[in-house]
Amino acid sequence: MKPDDLNPAPVAPARPGQHKHCPVRDVLDRLGDKWSTLILVTLAQGPQRFNALARSVPDISRRMLTETLRHLERDGLIWREVTPSTPPSVRYGLTPLGNSLMPPLKGLIEWAQRHQPKILAARTRFDGSRRKA
Amino acid sequence: MKPDDLNPAPVAPARPGQHKHCPVRDVLDRLGDKWSTLILVTLAQGPQRFNALARSVPDISRRMLTETLRHLERDGLIWREVTPSTPPSVRYGLTPLGNSLMPPLKGLIEWAQRHQPKILAARTRFDGSRRKA
DNA sequence: CTGTATCCTGAGAGATACTG
DNA sequence: CAGTATCTCTCAGGATACAG
């Protein structure tokens, strides 16, 4: 493989004061946060309303759900559709951009599922050999 | 007493009992942390010594470098080879498992690079339309 | 050179209560 | 129903000093 592909932009310092944005960091940070990925894969199965999402993603608080949805919307990964009825209803769904993230994300998810046993085994091995005397 | 950094997943749901540990979460949490991906990508270009890594990943502190390397080693993604010379030298490199992560990871990185302009545009649009009156 | 041990701060995230 | 507003607490992670 071409090494250069794996050594993309000089990685941003990610430090205060200097925000040279590394696009990769940008994406991975979002994926790394606690709920974004969960919401994305949930929405990948079809648009959902706010409360439906809250139910699909157990243990998420309203606050975090709102916040995460806003982030994803801001990044153009999901859309938000308000129907001003009474009571109001709001639907969320993946944009084309959001959908385009799914294949690579799926790749990662599949990797995770396939290799989880190996990871768990490695941890056990590591912890075992590290057991304090 | 200091909390052991290598203790079992602290990332589990805040509420114990409710939700099983999701393997995907497991992986994404690691990728989401600040340095793991950078180190993996760097090591994908070949084994490196501790200080070489520190130089390749600017702005990482020794503490975080050590800690991240330990995590990755524990998960079986990288190996660690100590040569007890004076001064000692330690090399790190990807294991086969670590290498198997590269393709999906690379997929994500490429997505990020390709779509960054769209994301930035979406943000500008969002922030613009949200400007409070 | 390759780490460990502490200390400290700030962002992330839970609980709760209120509003349109 | 779909959010917003606080308050608080934890903990990732930076700085620094020490150690084998």
Side-chain angles (χ1 to χ4, degrees), chain B residues 88-129:
Chain B
S89 115
V90 183
R91 287 172 76 231
Y92 295 88
L94 292 187
T95 59
L97 184 59
N99 252 308
S100 72
L101 213 203
M102 286 301 123
L105 188 52
K106 202 181 155 200
L108 217 60
I109 290 174
E110 276 164 13
W111 184 93
Q113 289 171 332
R114 170 150 50 224
H115 296 285
Q116 191 204 20
K118 292 179 189 170
I119 292 181
L120 294 181
R123 284 181 188 166
T124 304
R125 219 177 309 125
F126 184 90
D127 295 346
S129 69

Side-chain angles (χ1 to χ4, degrees), chain A residues 1-7, chain B residues 45 106 110:
Chain A
M1 94 175 62
K2 294 174 290 182
D4 271 296
D5 290 345
L6 287 175
N7 193 15
Chain B
Q45 302 170 67
K106 202 181 155 200
E110 276 164 13

